[in-house]
Amino acid sequence: MDTKHCAVDGWVDAIPAPGPNRTAMFDLTVRPVDADTLPEDAPDTVVSCTAKDAGIVHELLTGIQPSDLLRVTGTLVQPSTPGEPARLTVDVLEVLDTALLPVLREMVIDRYADYVVVFDGDHDQVPVFTASGRWVGLADNPDAIATLIDNDQRVNGGDA
């Protein structure tokens, strides 16, 4: 296998997911540098990323949203089989740009690792539950969700 230490800029298409052994996993969509000269239907490159550092894992699972532009630095492993995505073990994470917050007009359920939140466009407060259904609390606004989850994990250790 060919490995290389590098930095890659790309967009997150889906909310990062918790992985085994306290890791976080996500796919990074990378546009070629010369994208303007390529045909419109030229495919983007998808790099499968895994982070092991606790601080990076926390940021990925609580702060990163789809369409965020990231720069990740780490060890890239080229796939042994053509057509499979390259794998990058992330050592450094930098948020270059955040996605625009959608304007909610209806109720939306979202997942933050082992927690579920319910956004309602008519209210600022956000109910938070564990994935198993235990009530965690009511965040005063979307910005307070991470604090509420952190407090729950400190007190209860979470309970997916």
Side-chain angles (χ1 to χ4, degrees):
M1 275 191 251
D2 186 24
T3 63
K4 178 180 182 181
H5 191 77
C6 64
V8 179
D9 295 352
W11 285 269
V12 177
D13 278 339
I15 295 174
N21 302 320
R22 298 180 187 254
T23 61
M25 302 181 328
F26 63 100
D27 286 339
L28 198 64
T29 302
V30 181
R31 297 276 341 210
V33 176
D34 58 351
D36 296 336
T37 63
L38 297 174
E40 272 189 45
D41 60 348
D44 294 329
T45 301
V46 175
V47 179
S48 293
C49 300
T50 302
K52 297 176 182 176
D53 177 86
I56 295 173
V57 169
H58 182 267
E59 178 63 21
L60 286 166
L61 296 179
T62 61
I64 301 301
Q65 295 294 316
S67 298
D68 283 353
L69 178 62
L70 306 178
R71 174 171 292 141
V72 293
T73 304
T75 305
L76 182 70
V77 178
Q78 295 295 334
S80 54
T81 306
E84 288 184 1
R87 294 186 327 259
L88 181 85
T89 301
V90 178
D91 298 324
V92 178
L93 172 73
E94 182 181 352
V95 179
L96 300 177
D97 196 11
T98 57
L100 295 174
L101 291 176
V103 177
L104 299 177
R105 300 198 193 311
E106 298 177 14
M107 191 176 300
V108 176
I109 297 175
D110 201 358
R111 181 111 183 225
Y112 288 72
D114 294 335
Y115 295 86
V116 177
V117 298
V118 181
F119 295 103
D120 184 344
D122 296 330
H123 301 91
D124 287 336
Q125 295 179 321
V126 182
V128 179
F129 302 86
T130 63
S132 64
R134 181 178 55 79
W135 172 252
V136 173
L138 191 62
D140 290 333
N141 57 58
D143 292 333
I145 294 170
T147 303
L148 188 63
I149 290 172
D150 287 344
N151 290 340
D152 182 68
Q153 288 180 332
R154 211 170 298 123
V155 173
N156 300 308
D159 76 343

